[in-house]
Amino acid sequence: MGELHLEIYAQRMEREYNTPIILGKPKVSFRETLLMPVEFDYLHKRQSGGAGQYGKVIGVLEPLPPQKNLDVEFVDLTSGTNVPKPFVPAIEKGFRQSCEKGPLTGSKVSGIKMRLLDGQHHIVDSNEISFILAAMGAMNDCYQLGRWQVLEPIMTVEVTAPLEFQGQVTAQMQRRCGVVCGTDSLGDWFSLFVEVPLNDMFGYSSELRSATQGKGEFTMEYCRYSPCLPNTQDRLMKEYQDALEAENSDAGKKKKKN
């Protein structure tokens, strides 16, 4: 279903059922990744009268190559009994849970690899939850100390329109941060091949119809994830921080009422 279909259905719902419709921009699935390796050495220790919690993890968090920027890898390089092997899956679990929410925009973290090198356990207090929390604490330290970057999906777009509109269509793509990969022509028609961030493609169908008297059309398919522009990253970070502040403010008001 395209944007035109959605607009028509929204108008019908308003007209036939008197239902207010709010159309918004779809949410893009951004990712966050690490730029430089970060070492971690984290001890989780909690004592509450009875059996406590104790777990220590030591290792390195490092970025994966660009062609694997959607992967998340965990490697156990420990030797000896400092970290008993039954607790290693708990460390990996804590690591992967932390990757669900990144530090910059709250998006999923990908393109990283955790190398577990060493650690420490307590004969009485160490358990699965201790090492899960130790891994999550180590990831929080890496979020604070590391250099992180936002990745966005890049789409391969093919635009077809009459030759007389080629200049206008090319300008539209450039305004949307598109990179022209090639052009082709057949008779009075041309095809433009562009790589464009998905976040900049919303609303393009209406703009293309308007610029080409309804004759232009385009197709779009996923290509890869790439680092987004600095201004886009700054805007996403600001939106995320504003959302967190609003959420904390609402939580504070509810506490006061109770």
Side-chain angles (χ1 to χ4, degrees), residues 74-143:
F74 175 87
V75 181
D76 174 25
L77 300 177
T78 58
S79 59
T81 59
N82 284 350
V83 180
K85 294 302 179 183
F87 291 140
V88 172
I91 297 173
E92 181 176 1
K93 182 178 180 180
F95 161 61
R96 293 188 181 276
Q97 283 182 358
S98 295
C99 291
E100 291 297 311
K101 194 173 185 179
L104 301 180
T105 63
S107 305
K108 287 186 177 181
V109 176
S110 63
I112 61 172
K113 175 179 173 180
M114 175 182 274
R115 291 195 292 124
L116 181 65
L117 303 178
D118 202 358
Q120 197 172 1
H121 79 289
H122 188 277
I123 193 66
V124 175
D125 293 340
S126 289
N127 50 32
E128 182 178 347
I129 189 63
S130 299
F131 280 97
I132 289 177
L133 295 175
M136 295 177 74
M139 284 295 293
N140 286 335
D141 283 353
C142 292
Y143 287 156

Side-chain angles (χ1 to χ4, degrees), residues 28-32 69-70 149-155 176-177 196-200 222-230 232-233 235-236:
V28 176
S29 180
F30 292 96
R31 293 287 187 271
E32 298 181 28
N69 61 12
L70 293 182
Q149 187 176 52
V150 178
L151 303 175
E152 65 180 347
I154 303 297
M155 312 301 286
R176 293 175 179 267
C177 304
V196 192
L198 175 60
N199 195 47
D200 294 316
Y222 169 77
C223 179
R224 66 182 185 279
Y225 269 83
S226 289
C228 64
L229 295 173
T232 302
Q233 178 167 316
R235 177 174 52 80
L236 293 171

